[in-house]
Tab-separated table of all heavy atoms in Angstrom:
chain	number	residue	atom	x	y	z
A	133	ARG	N	-24.688	-8.961	75.370
A	133	ARG	CA	-24.134	-8.487	74.063
A	133	ARG	C	-24.901	-7.409	73.488
A	133	ARG	O	-24.419	-6.525	72.720
A	133	ARG	CB	-24.027	-9.726	73.139
A	133	ARG	CG	-22.964	-10.625	73.510
A	133	ARG	CD	-22.808	-11.864	72.638
A	133	ARG	NE	-21.804	-12.699	73.263
A	133	ARG	CZ	-21.782	-13.967	73.092
A	133	ARG	NH1	-22.735	-14.549	72.482
A	133	ARG	NH2	-20.905	-14.739	73.670
A	134	ASP	N	-26.211	-7.346	73.683
A	134	ASP	CA	-27.134	-6.368	73.090
A	134	ASP	C	-27.636	-5.363	74.167
A	134	ASP	O	-28.270	-5.874	75.127
A	134	ASP	CB	-28.295	-7.017	72.360
A	134	ASP	CG	-29.345	-6.196	71.812
A	134	ASP	OD1	-30.000	-5.414	72.522
A	134	ASP	OD2	-29.529	-6.191	70.481
A	135	HIS	N	-27.293	-4.065	74.039
A	135	HIS	CA	-27.672	-3.106	75.049
A	135	HIS	C	-29.162	-3.041	75.317
A	135	HIS	O	-29.548	-3.056	76.544
A	135	HIS	CB	-27.149	-1.694	74.671
A	135	HIS	CG	-27.663	-0.629	75.590
A	135	HIS	ND1	-27.204	-0.419	76.865
A	135	HIS	CD2	-28.636	0.282	75.428
A	135	HIS	CE1	-27.797	0.545	77.436
A	135	HIS	NE2	-28.783	1.069	76.600
A	136	ALA	N	-29.927	-2.975	74.323
A	136	ALA	CA	-31.443	-2.838	74.513
A	136	ALA	C	-32.008	-4.113	75.156
A	136	ALA	O	-32.811	-4.076	76.055
A	136	ALA	CB	-32.074	-2.570	73.182
A	137	GLU	N	-31.464	-5.205	74.752
A	137	GLU	CA	-31.917	-6.535	75.312
A	137	GLU	C	-31.505	-6.649	76.785
A	137	GLU	O	-32.224	-7.132	77.698
A	137	GLU	CB	-31.470	-7.717	74.542
A	137	GLU	CG	-31.833	-9.025	74.999
A	137	GLU	CD	-33.354	-9.330	75.128
A	137	GLU	OE1	-34.122	-8.554	74.377
A	137	GLU	OE2	-33.703	-10.195	75.840
A	138	LEU	N	-30.246	-6.143	77.037
A	138	LEU	CA	-29.765	-6.184	78.434
A	138	LEU	C	-30.656	-5.326	79.326
A	138	LEU	O	-31.054	-5.742	80.458
A	138	LEU	CB	-28.396	-5.585	78.490
A	138	LEU	CG	-27.611	-5.608	79.807
A	138	LEU	CD1	-27.270	-7.155	80.165
A	138	LEU	CD2	-26.323	-4.886	79.756
A	139	ARG	N	-31.056	-4.180	78.928
A	139	ARG	CA	-31.937	-3.265	79.733
A	139	ARG	C	-33.242	-3.956	79.923
A	139	ARG	O	-33.815	-3.924	80.988
A	139	ARG	CB	-32.099	-1.918	79.018
A	139	ARG	CG	-32.945	-0.893	79.812
A	139	ARG	CD	-32.358	-0.715	81.162
A	139	ARG	NE	-33.284	-0.215	82.163
A	139	ARG	CZ	-32.883	0.732	82.991
A	139	ARG	NH1	-31.797	1.387	82.919
A	139	ARG	NH2	-33.753	1.124	83.979
A	140	ARG	N	-33.869	-4.549	78.807
A	140	ARG	CA	-35.181	-5.224	78.946
A	140	ARG	C	-35.039	-6.405	79.955
A	140	ARG	O	-35.859	-6.544	80.769
A	140	ARG	CB	-35.593	-5.759	77.581
A	140	ARG	CG	-36.985	-6.334	77.569
A	140	ARG	CD	-37.220	-7.393	76.498
A	140	ARG	NE	-36.319	-8.506	76.616
A	140	ARG	CZ	-36.522	-9.560	77.477
A	140	ARG	NH1	-37.409	-9.458	78.370
A	140	ARG	NH2	-35.768	-10.555	77.483
A	141	LEU	N	-33.982	-7.151	79.861
A	141	LEU	CA	-33.776	-8.296	80.806
A	141	LEU	C	-33.683	-7.830	82.283
A	141	LEU	O	-34.244	-8.444	83.138
A	141	LEU	CB	-32.498	-9.025	80.400
A	141	LEU	CG	-32.252	-10.425	81.026
A	141	LEU	CD1	-33.373	-11.333	80.740
A	141	LEU	CD2	-30.921	-10.950	80.526
A	142	TYR	N	-32.869	-6.734	82.397
A	142	TYR	CA	-32.768	-6.136	83.765
A	142	TYR	C	-34.171	-5.744	84.389
A	142	TYR	O	-34.465	-6.146	85.507
A	142	TYR	CB	-31.802	-4.948	83.720
A	142	TYR	CG	-31.699	-4.174	84.970
A	142	TYR	CD1	-30.829	-4.482	85.963
A	142	TYR	CD2	-32.374	-2.984	85.203
A	142	TYR	CE1	-30.710	-3.877	87.127
A	142	TYR	CE2	-32.325	-2.287	86.376
A	142	TYR	CZ	-31.496	-2.694	87.350
A	142	TYR	OH	-31.359	-1.935	88.456
A	143	ASP	N	-34.829	-4.999	83.583
A	143	ASP	CA	-36.165	-4.610	84.044
A	143	ASP	C	-37.115	-5.777	84.293
A	143	ASP	O	-37.860	-5.705	85.369
A	143	ASP	CB	-36.821	-3.559	82.991
A	143	ASP	CG	-36.092	-2.254	82.932
A	143	ASP	OD1	-35.451	-1.899	83.914
A	143	ASP	OD2	-36.216	-1.644	81.837
A	144	ALA	N	-37.051	-6.789	83.515
A	144	ALA	CA	-37.907	-7.924	83.649
A	144	ALA	C	-37.563	-8.686	84.912
A	144	ALA	O	-38.500	-9.286	85.477
A	144	ALA	CB	-37.747	-8.812	82.423
A	145	ARG	N	-36.369	-8.692	85.301
A	145	ARG	CA	-35.958	-9.537	86.514
A	145	ARG	C	-36.163	-8.885	87.772
A	145	ARG	O	-36.080	-9.523	88.851
A	145	ARG	CB	-34.442	-9.892	86.307
A	145	ARG	CG	-34.333	-10.983	85.230
A	145	ARG	CD	-32.839	-11.373	85.095
A	145	ARG	NE	-32.671	-12.470	84.063
A	145	ARG	CZ	-31.468	-12.895	83.706
A	145	ARG	NH1	-30.366	-12.467	84.239
A	145	ARG	NH2	-31.446	-13.895	82.820
A	146	LEU	N	-36.301	-7.589	87.859
A	146	LEU	CA	-36.338	-6.868	89.089
A	146	LEU	C	-37.474	-7.390	90.033
A	146	LEU	O	-37.222	-7.563	91.315
A	146	LEU	CB	-36.575	-5.405	88.867
A	146	LEU	CG	-35.404	-4.600	88.267
A	146	LEU	CD1	-35.755	-3.207	88.002
A	146	LEU	CD2	-34.125	-4.736	89.100
Side-chain angles (χ1 to χ4, degrees):
R133 294 179 181 148
D134 178 295
H135 171 77
E137 180 60 19
L138 186 69
R139 182 61 201 222
R140 186 206 61 75
L141 190 60
Y142 173 84
D143 291 339
R145 288 181 176 175
L146 290 178

